[in-house]
Amino acid sequence: MDPKLQTSEDISFDEFRKQILNDYQVAVMSRECSLLGRREVLTGKAKFGIFGDGKELPQLAMARAFNNGDFRSGYYRDQTFMMALGLLTPKEFFHGLYATTDLEKEPMSAGRQMGGHFGTYSLSEDGTWKDLTQQKNSSPDISPTAGQMPRLLGLALASKVYRNEKGLQAEKFTDNGNEVAWGTIGNASTSEGHFFETINAAGVLQVPMIVSIWDDEYGISVPAKYQTTKEDISAILSGFQRTEDEPGYEILKVKGWDYTALIHTYENASDIAREEHVPVIIHVTELTQPQGHSTSGSHERYKSEARLAWEKENDCNKRFREWILSNRIASEEDLKSLEKKIKTEVRMARKDAWNEFLNPHKEDKKALVHLLEGLAQSSPNKAFISKIKNDLIAVEEPLKKDLASLPRKALRYVLGEHTPQKKALEEWISDFMKKNQPHFSSHLYSELPNKATNIEEVLPTYDDNPEPVDGRIILRDNFDALFSKYPELMIFGEDSGAIGDVNQGLEGLQKKYGEIRISDTGIREATIVGQGIGLALRGLRPIAEIQYLDYLMYGLQTLSDDLATLLYRTVGKQKAPLIVRTRGHRLEGIWHSGSQMGGIIHLLRGMYVLVPRNMTKAAGFYNTLLKSDEPALIVESLNGYRLKEPRPSNLGELCTPIGLVEVVKKGTDITVVSYGSTLRIVMDVAEELKEVGIDAEVIDAQSLLPFDLRSDVLKSVKKTNRLLIVDEDVPGACSAYLMQEIIEKQGAYRYLDSAPHTLSARSHRPAYASDGDYFSKPNAEDIFEKIYQIMHEANPSDFPELR
């Protein structure tokens, strides 16, 4: 359907009537899906439900103003909008509720996200970009409230970049920057910091962004008086209103049940944002929530009888129906007939979706019952196996977990038996797990041939007498080469532009490449990250700079919940190859300690986490990542910018491999693994250890996610039979992760003659200054004595007790 509403001046009354009734049909269809969806949860067929009932009318208006090339960054009540654009059918809606793992049937996430989370496909099967200007786009939702806001900023900023930066190959991404980024959020979620940070940043940047605030006066059970000053979000944002002399927002307010006002408001907002590149806020008031917040509870528990009566009277669908009747667009009989037809269609969609979800399980159940019967007949433990078979038969609507769990339990009763029936069941279980596990685990990282871990290493090359330069010079000149090579490359952050970052790694580059490509931002880490995500979703190659590693905490929610999960939750249908640049390691003081790696590597699964020991290695990581299209965090060593390194002659071309370790010193007595700035201390200690007859092999982890894909540490341990992991993080953090990777995953325990050890920082944050660093983190003497102690335990005669 064409969602663009034409006026009666443009078309005949019959055509106008048809459009109105089409909108009403979508509204009724969406509402019926919500009502039946709740029942599916309460009867146990679906796990959880959160629906868009009560928000239908404004979403219809938004859909009519939404053009090809536009992007949505919304939240989990926008089902009517998606249905109005033809991007969601009732059957797909129910498949989302049931968590169907077939992407063709459940195209939003193949059951990986709960219902109400909507995305479109930006990528073809081979991972190349589709033409985003020829389709209506939705970035995939996340559940954390206001979590969609930072990304919205970047989606809107991309239009400004495309309109103002010349020389970009942008045919698939823009029509001269005429696209609008549409955000939606509930009124209570505007209390979140992400909302206010995004609103401020978009006002500063003046980007084509329209934020719809669905206001039903509650946040779950908590009314607006506890959520918002003055109980009115547009009132408190009124200072952002633009004037003739000062830029800002256009702020519009409209009642959510007023169909004609909604249509005109959204058309007006679209024109302003699209043509003038001005952000717009639409505060949609007097909305309702007929079924309460979600299936977790009923709103009758917390709303007064008066409020419930008001909501019933002012339900937007009811008011829309009354408007249609009062304007004689349709008769009561016409609407009743239409409503009956829609309800029948939705019920059939629900039935078909459930059967399509269940039938493959039933077929697997038949085969499994037959196998269990054969196993029972062949085993002395027939009675126990028959009970499991009967338990399976009793499950009328089996899930995948039933089909996996019960046969695995049956194998416990045939331990030591060797029969064809047992072998057949083992093969069935293996095939079933192999077939189904990817439905829940694939696409955490790219699975395409050009994935970053497939980019070959390119070693640095040097002239005969390479010039020793500060590490920052290597980074600067490498970035210079990259900005010349990739016109879509951008970098931004606090102090990144005019002064070329706080450590001068971008010195002079803004002047050379312009303020769009190399820019300063405000102090706003969450939206620096979101800015990068949105730009990357629209075909640009951003590097978002976070000034110091501990400031990453401000943006960690956005990195963890949005960027790191993006490829996974879209099953490879969207990508955001954002590079996050920061600096840390061996800093001094509680707040700039740079010691959060343990948390980072666990919260950012789905991103690469790279910890180069020097700036040549760091430059190589940037080069590698730009040859691929995956997100990553690079942590440069803060105390390495002024250290001298030989200047490579192939800057812009050298590539540091991702997922591989490097043996930086060979040895025979013990394997020592570290990374970042601490590795330099380990290297100094390794030289000192030679004086007492200990030959340590030193390995630079350099890539934490992923770690050591070729198991080179295992090869070292096979030779040395001893292992020490040195890490500046707190005990049990990154060192524990590396220990599991080496000892458990690689199986290094088989080759140890001594207990494996970790040497980490103290349990507290590092204290200030050089003394604080010495007594808080592993120092050279700590490392020396730890290695010596391990050798003393193994050979006390050659290595007598040190102290």
Side-chain angles (χ1 to χ4, degrees):
M1 69 191 77
D2 181 5
K4 197 70 175 177
L5 181 67
Q6 295 173 288
T7 68
S8 56
E9 296 177 0
D10 302 318
I11 58 175
S12 67
F13 177 78
D14 285 342
E15 291 172 318
F16 179 70
R17 175 180 180 275
K18 183 178 179 181
Q19 288 184 340
I20 300 300
L21 292 180
N22 188 54
D23 272 357
Y24 184 68
Q25 178 178 334
V26 174
V28 173
M29 179 175 68
S30 178
R31 178 64 61 85
E32 190 65 17
C33 285
S34 296
L35 296 173
L36 291 184
R38 181 178 177 85
R39 294 178 197 173
E40 294 300 271
V41 176
L42 297 180
T43 58
K45 288 183 178 179
K47 194 76 173 177
F48 179 77
I50 193 160
F51 308 110
D53 49 302
K55 316 296 188 294
E56 291 90 351
L57 224 56
Q59 291 180 33
L60 290 169
M62 186 171 84
R64 290 201 173 279
F66 196 93
N67 291 350
N68 282 347
D70 287 358
F71 258 90
R72 166 189 170 274
S73 182
Y75 87 136
Y76 41 68
R77 300 203 188 277
D78 292 346
Q79 69 198 45
T80 309
F81 171 80
M82 297 296 288
M83 290 176 174
L85 293 182
L87 299 174
L88 179 71
T89 67
K91 188 191 287 190
E92 291 167 346
F93 170 89
F94 286 107
H95 273 299
L97 270 181
Y98 304 142
T100 301
T101 56
D102 185 337
L103 193 60
E104 292 186 4
K105 293 181 173 62
E106 203 285 87
M108 298 304 154
S109 72
R112 293 183 178 187
Q113 296 209 95
M114 67 180 71
H117 293 67
F118 308 117
T120 53
Y121 295 177
S122 298
L123 306 178
S124 303
E125 289 300 317
D126 62 357
T128 57
W129 289 101
K130 299 176 73 174
D131 188 341
L132 303 186
T133 68
Q134 299 302 307
Q135 65 181 40
K136 294 174 175 65
N137 305 286
S138 176
S139 58
D141 300 334
I142 58 176
S143 289
T145 57
Q148 72 274 24
M149 295 299 295
R151 171 199 338 138
L152 175 65
L153 175 69
L155 290 169
L157 181 59
S159 291
K160 184 172 182 177
V161 171
Y162 282 129
R163 181 173 288 185
N164 293 284
E165 183 68 23
K166 307 306 177 185
L168 295 172
Q169 298 296 315
E171 291 79 9
K172 291 184 177 182
F173 304 107
T174 191
D175 174 20
N176 194 37
N178 291 325
E179 303 78 25
V180 171
W182 300 77
T184 64
I185 190 169
N187 59 291
S189 294
T190 63
S191 303
E192 294 279 11
H194 283 1
F195 172 81
F196 282 98
E197 186 173 317
T198 302
I199 292 298
N200 182 59
V204 170
L205 291 169
Q206 289 292 285
V207 292
M209 180 180 98
I210 300 175
V211 180
S212 295
I213 303 169
W214 310 142
D215 191 347
D216 58 26
E217 299 187 17
Y218 282 84
I220 308 183
S221 67
V222 181
K225 67 180 180 179
Y226 298 120
Q227 304 278 1
T228 309
T229 303
K230 300 184 180 181
E231 301 183 41
D232 189 329
I233 186 63
S234 58
I236 65 174
L237 293 176
S238 60
F240 285 90
Q241 175 66 51
R242 64 176 179 160
T243 66
E244 290 185 2
D245 301 320
E246 295 179 320
Y249 276 78
E250 190 63 35
I251 301 178
L252 308 172
K253 198 169 186 177
V254 62
K255 292 178 172 59
W257 47 262
D258 191 336
Y259 179 70
T260 54
L262 285 163
I263 293 293
H264 292 306
T265 297
Y266 274 88
E267 286 183 341
N268 184 32
S270 176
D271 290 343
I272 292 169
R274 203 175 302 279
E275 296 169 13
E276 301 179 47
H277 273 198
V278 171
V280 181
I281 293 170
I282 304 177
H283 184 191
V284 185
T285 64
E286 297 192 17
L287 287 170
T288 67
Q289 204 151 271
Q291 299 187 113
H293 173 263
S294 70
T295 53
S296 294
S298 171
H299 64 157
E300 286 82 3
R301 292 186 300 154
Y302 53 84
K303 290 178 182 175
S304 68
E305 290 186 8
R307 173 68 191 187
L308 291 169
W310 182 91
E311 289 198 6
K312 186 175 182 180
E313 183 63 28
N314 290 281
D315 181 292
C316 65
N317 281 15
K318 177 179 179 292
R319 295 290 295 264
F320 189 23
R321 192 182 196 277
E322 292 170 350
W323 180 84
I324 291 171
L325 291 172
S326 66
N327 285 277
R328 299 182 180 180
I329 294 169
S331 67
E332 179 72 25
E333 291 73 20
D334 290 335
L335 295 187
K336 284 185 177 179
S337 175
L338 181 62
E339 290 158 1
K340 182 178 179 181
K341 177 175 175 286
I342 293 169
K343 288 180 180 181
T344 300
E345 290 176 356
V346 172
R347 288 192 182 101
M348 287 302 299
R350 175 189 61 173
K351 180 180 178 182
D352 291 346
W354 180 246
N355 287 335
E356 290 175 3
F357 169 77
L358 201 58
N359 286 341
H361 301 174
K362 287 184 174 180
E363 291 301 314
D364 285 332
K365 173 184 169 180
K366 287 180 184 178
L368 186 53
V369 167
H370 178 72
L371 289 170
L372 288 171
E373 176 63 27
L375 186 69
Q377 295 300 327
S378 69
S379 174
N381 289 318
K382 176 181 178 180
F384 299 102
I385 299 169
S386 294
K387 182 182 183 306
I388 291 177
K389 179 198 71 175
N390 293 333
D391 289 343
L392 178 59
I393 292 171
V395 180
E396 295 182 1
E397 297 175 339
L399 300 177
K400 286 183 172 68
K401 75 178 186 67
D402 301 314
L403 300 167
S405 173
L406 291 171
R408 293 171 75 181
K409 290 180 179 178
L411 288 180
R412 301 172 190 175
Y413 296 107
V414 290
L415 292 172
E417 296 182 23
H418 303 281
T419 64
Q421 292 81 2
K422 178 185 178 183
K423 184 173 179 59
L425 183 63
E426 289 174 337
E427 290 176 351
W428 189 93
I429 293 171
S430 296
D431 290 343
F432 185 82
M433 297 300 291
K434 183 178 180 180
K435 179 178 69 174
N436 284 287
Q437 188 64 51
H439 290 312
F440 306 95
S441 304
S442 69
H443 293 94
L444 182 60
Y445 295 93
S446 174
E447 298 178 2
L448 296 170
N450 72 326
K451 61 184 180 180
T453 51
N454 280 355
I455 304 301
E456 293 291 334
E457 180 177 18
V458 177
L459 293 169
T461 57
Y462 297 95
D463 297 332
D464 290 340
N465 294 297
E467 178 188 5
V469 297
D470 289 349
R472 72 173 188 89
I473 300 297
I474 291 173
L475 274 179
R476 183 199 66 187
D477 292 353
N478 191 75
F479 279 131
D480 190 6
L482 292 178
F483 276 96
S484 296
K485 186 176 183 179
Y486 298 103
E488 67 276 17
L489 182 62
M490 304 171 62
I491 191 166
F492 45 85
E494 300 157 16
D495 301 302
S496 300
I499 69 169
D501 87 43
V502 291
N503 296 103
Q504 303 289 279
L506 298 167
E507 180 188 23
L509 297 186
Q510 185 185 72
K511 185 175 182 180
K512 183 173 183 179
Y513 295 102
E515 294 184 13
I516 292 178
R517 297 187 67 192
I518 302 173
S519 57
D520 288 311
T521 69
I523 299 176
R524 51 176 182 82
E525 284 79 12
T527 48
I528 289 173
V529 171
Q531 183 172 318
I533 295 172
L535 291 168
L537 281 166
R538 293 193 57 191
L540 295 162
R541 292 307 305 266
I543 299 175
E545 182 171 322
I546 304 297
Q547 196 163 88
Y548 297 110
L549 182 62
D550 49 320
Y551 294 165
L552 195 76
M553 302 302 107
Y554 287 97
L556 192 57
Q557 185 275 329
T558 301
L559 286 170
S560 180
D561 290 334
D562 199 350
L563 182 60
T565 67
L566 177 70
L567 192 73
Y568 171 77
R569 72 180 189 272
T570 65
V571 200
K573 297 303 181 182
Q574 289 197 21
K575 63 182 177 182
L578 168 64
I579 301 170
V580 180
R581 178 193 184 210
T582 191
R583 48 193 66 82
H585 306 313
R586 306 307 299 201
L587 306 183
E588 297 180 352
I590 294 173
W591 309 122
H592 292 304
S593 63
S595 297
Q596 298 91 357
M597 296 308 301
I600 287 169
I601 60 173
H602 296 304
L603 292 168
L604 298 188
R605 301 297 172 105
M607 292 179 64
Y608 296 126
V609 176
L610 310 173
V611 284
R613 69 180 182 271
N614 59 36
M615 301 311 159
T616 302
K617 288 290 181 180
F621 276 136
Y622 289 111
N623 301 343
T624 297
L625 288 166
L626 287 168
K627 286 186 177 182
S628 184
D629 57 2
E630 295 179 80
L633 169 69
I634 298 179
V635 184
E636 299 165 8
S637 296
L638 180 59
N639 59 9
Y641 292 110
R642 302 290 174 178
L643 296 180
K644 299 296 183 182
E645 298 179 35
R647 187 185 187 281
S649 57
N650 60 339
L651 290 175
E653 302 296 333
L654 65 98
C655 290
T656 307
I658 292 175
L660 301 185
V661 302
E662 181 181 356
V663 178
V664 291
K665 177 192 173 299
K666 292 186 178 297
T668 57
D669 294 328
I670 187 171
T671 299
V672 185
V673 179
S674 191
Y675 61 90
S677 296
T678 303
L679 186 88
R680 290 197 294 271
I681 303 175
V682 172
M683 285 294 292
D684 291 340
V685 171
E687 294 302 313
E688 295 173 2
L689 286 166
K690 290 180 180 179
E691 299 174 5
V692 293
I694 299 174
D695 187 13
E697 180 146 296
V698 180
I699 296 179
D700 181 4
Q702 71 180 356
S703 174
L704 298 179
L705 286 180
F707 173 73
D708 194 12
L709 296 177
R710 294 193 310 211
S711 298
D712 287 330
V713 177
L714 175 64
K715 297 169 189 172
S716 175
V717 173
K718 284 182 179 180
K719 177 176 60 175
T720 67
N721 309 118
R722 295 176 183 87
L723 174 68
L724 173 66
I725 298 166
V726 184
D727 179 30
E728 64 166 16
D729 208 346
V730 296
C734 194
S735 58
Y737 158 75
L738 292 172
M739 182 72 82
Q740 183 189 35
E741 287 284 312
I742 298 165
I743 298 300
E744 182 180 327
K745 188 175 178 180
Q746 295 186 6
Y749 68 90
R750 298 184 182 93
Y751 306 99
L752 291 174
D753 291 338
S754 299
H757 286 268
T758 63
L759 179 60
S760 64
R762 304 292 179 177
S763 298
H764 53 76
R765 292 284 188 94
Y768 175 56
S770 296
D771 283 347
D773 178 71
Y774 186 88
F775 287 96
S776 300
K777 292 188 174 184
N779 55 58
E781 289 68 43
D782 291 334
I783 298 168
F784 184 101
E785 291 173 7
K786 186 69 173 180
I787 293 172
Y788 190 90
Q789 179 188 6
I790 294 170
M791 299 305 297
H792 165 72
E793 290 174 355
N795 189 350
S797 59
D798 287 350
F799 303 101
E801 188 171 3
L802 183 63
R803 69 178 176 92

